[in-house]
Amino acid sequence: MPAFKELVFSGVQPTGNLHLGNYLGAIKRFVAMQAQFECLYCVVDLHAITVWQDPGELTRQIREVTAAFLAAGIDPARSVVFNQSQVPQHAELAWIFNCVARLGWLNRMTQFKEKAGKDRENASVGLYDYPVLMAADILAYRATHVPVGEDQKQHLELTRDIAQKFNNDFAGTIAEQGHGEAFFPLTEPLIGGPAARVMSLRDGTKKMSKSDPSDYSRINLTDDSDAIAQKVRKAKTDAEPLPSETAGLEKRPEADNLVGIFAALNDASREDVLREYGGAQFSAFKGALVDLAVAKLGPIGAEMKRLVADPGHIDAVLADGAARAEAIAAPNVAAVKDIVGFVRRR
Ligand code: TYM
């Protein structure tokens, strides 16, 4: 595999409230990556409409996710911040990838099965095709690294399968047209840290999710300190005090989750947290967690509110990002069309 320029890409859907899982599993890590990599962060509005979105609400949510990126510390002068629908190469490359990806591969996607539920016949074709568009998002930039939460692992494996099959199917023209052995990198998923899978506060065996009917299951980035305190205090736990070693968290999903959240918020590990709180009762630990969560999330929520009050500024950030994103994606997708054998407009 030839060396590809290191580039980070990731995306967040503008659907429903952003929560602590989105922040700790993804957005907080996006911020950290900026020091080391050139990064593109995308509000994936084309993905959002795979399930029904009220148009006015969608517009609001696109701006809100952008505000969350900025409020969390993504610097739009350094990283490219944009929304997917402003860069036509995503949809265009997705079509070509539709003809590379195999039905059998998509039939294995567990997230489609979960999201479509029992009423599969009534799911949109877009929902089924969702992971192919994800591959196009990443590969339009030939991105080498993608920070995501654990729930996206299977989709990133599919992205690698699509890249590999394209590189193999078109190996002849890829070499002839001067791209060497492979046109697309095999992108590395970056899944990690103590909060790669943040669980519901009501049930430690279920993922924290935007679609959980109970708002007590998640902490939203826009929750005020009272709401954060109430949700943490009501969070499900067991009757034992915290263990001193991580082995003691096994089979205690709620304890494990709260310790993982504390660790991620504090840039520490579970071991560090248990060194300090091993033997503590949940009442004391929850008090410390409330203080930490309010200290870390409060300023982000406040900055989001300030930013969404000025949609003109957000839209200008998105327009600038889209132009910079397109400058990278357009030559890549033009080269893909040449590789496939289409005739260019001259
Ligand atoms: P979305 O909007 O559902 O989630 C955004 C990010 O948040 C992570 N995440 C979590 N991490 C830890 N614990 C949780 N409970 C939790 N819930 C969500 C997700 O893993 C994700 O990183 N399909 C993507 C959006 C996307 C994308 C892409 C990502 C579209 N194109 C290209 C990377 C590259 C998604 O599910 O977003």
Side-chain angles (χ1 to χ4, degrees):
M1 182 62 47
F4 286 89
K5 183 175 160 240
E6 290 196 325
L7 194 71
V8 164
F9 181 97
S10 198
V12 174
Q13 291 197 72
T15 50
N17 288 331
L18 287 177
H19 54 69
L20 193 60
N22 300 127
Y23 177 61
L24 296 177
I27 300 171
K28 185 173 192 285
R29 299 174 59 233
F30 299 174
V31 176
M33 308 239 105
Q34 298 180 108
Q36 203 188 334
F37 296 101
E38 190 179 330
C39 304
L40 293 114
Y41 296 124
C42 184
V43 183
V44 292
D45 46 13
L46 299 176
H47 279 108
I49 62 164
T50 56
V51 296
W52 169 251
Q53 304 296 327
D54 173 78
E57 189 56 18
L58 178 62
T59 308
R60 196 187 69 72
Q61 302 264 21
I62 292 167
R63 293 191 179 119
E64 190 171 278
V65 174
T66 311
F69 282 175
L70 305 184
I74 292 171
D75 173 3
R78 187 196 251 184
S79 300
V80 178
V81 173
F82 69 108
N83 59 315
Q84 198 182 21
S85 63
Q86 286 198 45
V87 180
Q89 284 76 17
H90 291 247
E92 213 180 346
L93 186 58
W95 180 260
I96 295 173
F97 285 170
N98 277 335
C99 305
V100 174
R102 306 288 94 182
L103 274 181
W105 300 356
L106 288 184
N107 285 340
R108 285 196 285 275
M109 295 293 118
T110 54
Q111 203 160 73
F112 172 75
K113 290 178 196 161
E114 280 160 27
K115 284 196 182 171
K118 288 199 185 79
D119 197 9
R120 211 161 144 163
E121 292 290 304
N122 206 25
S124 75
V125 176
L127 188 66
Y128 184 71
D129 203 31
Y130 181 113
V132 176
L133 179 58
M134 249 182 95
D137 296 340
I138 295 164
L139 295 173
Y141 304 92
R142 300 205 275 177
T144 53
H145 296 83
V146 177
V148 280
E150 201 175 83
D151 60 346
Q152 296 304 307
K153 189 161 180 253
Q154 196 185 32
H155 289 160
L156 293 188
E157 282 161 7
L158 184 92
T159 299
R160 290 167 67 98
D161 290 342
I162 290 175
Q164 178 101 60
K165 182 160 163 57
F166 183 93
N167 287 339
N168 289 344
D169 288 355
F170 296 102
T173 42
I174 287 171
E176 263 164 47
Q177 293 176 17
H179 303 293
E181 274 172 51
F183 186 75
F184 288 120
L186 299 185
T187 306
E188 289 289 332
L190 300 176
I191 299 170
R197 189 173 178 82
V198 176
M199 309 308 276
S200 158
L201 299 179
R202 308 300 293 156
D203 178 351
T205 63
K206 265 176 42 189
K207 191 179 72 170
M208 184 178 285
S209 131
K210 293 169 184 174
S211 53
D212 194 312
S214 167
D215 201 49
Y216 276 92
S217 68
R218 64 184 159 259
I219 293 174
N220 303 305
L221 283 189
T222 47
D223 281 348
D224 61 20
S225 11
D226 286 347
I228 295 174
Q230 267 196 1
K231 289 176 179 180
V232 171
R233 294 220 176 85
K234 278 195 195 279
K236 187 177 168 200
T237 50
D238 53 39
E240 301 294 314
L242 282 175
S244 305
E245 309 280 339
T246 50
L249 293 171
E250 269 168 39
K251 303 211 176 89
R252 296 180 67 186
E254 284 83 16
D256 184 56
N257 190 37
L258 293 183
V259 170
I261 289 172
F262 193 105
L265 281 172
N266 216 19
D267 296 308
S269 64
R270 280 181 169 74
E271 285 80 4
D272 294 331
V273 176
L274 293 182
R275 213 168 290 129
E276 192 170 349
Y277 292 98
Q281 298 295 333
F282 273 109
S283 51
F285 180 66
K286 281 180 167 181
L289 181 54
V290 168
D291 291 346
L292 178 65
V294 168
K296 299 284 181 177
L297 304 178
I300 297 176
E303 180 64 0
M304 278 174 73
K305 281 200 188 98
R306 194 185 71 78
L307 287 165
V308 293
D310 184 359
H313 170 66
I314 303 241
D315 292 1
V317 166
L318 290 173
D320 174 66
R324 286 154 62 203
E326 188 164 354
I328 306 173
N332 286 342
V333 174
V336 168
K337 290 172 156 183
D338 289 345
I339 289 166
V340 170
F342 295 155
V343 175
R344 276 199 195 205
R345 190 200 296 162
R346 307 227 183 239

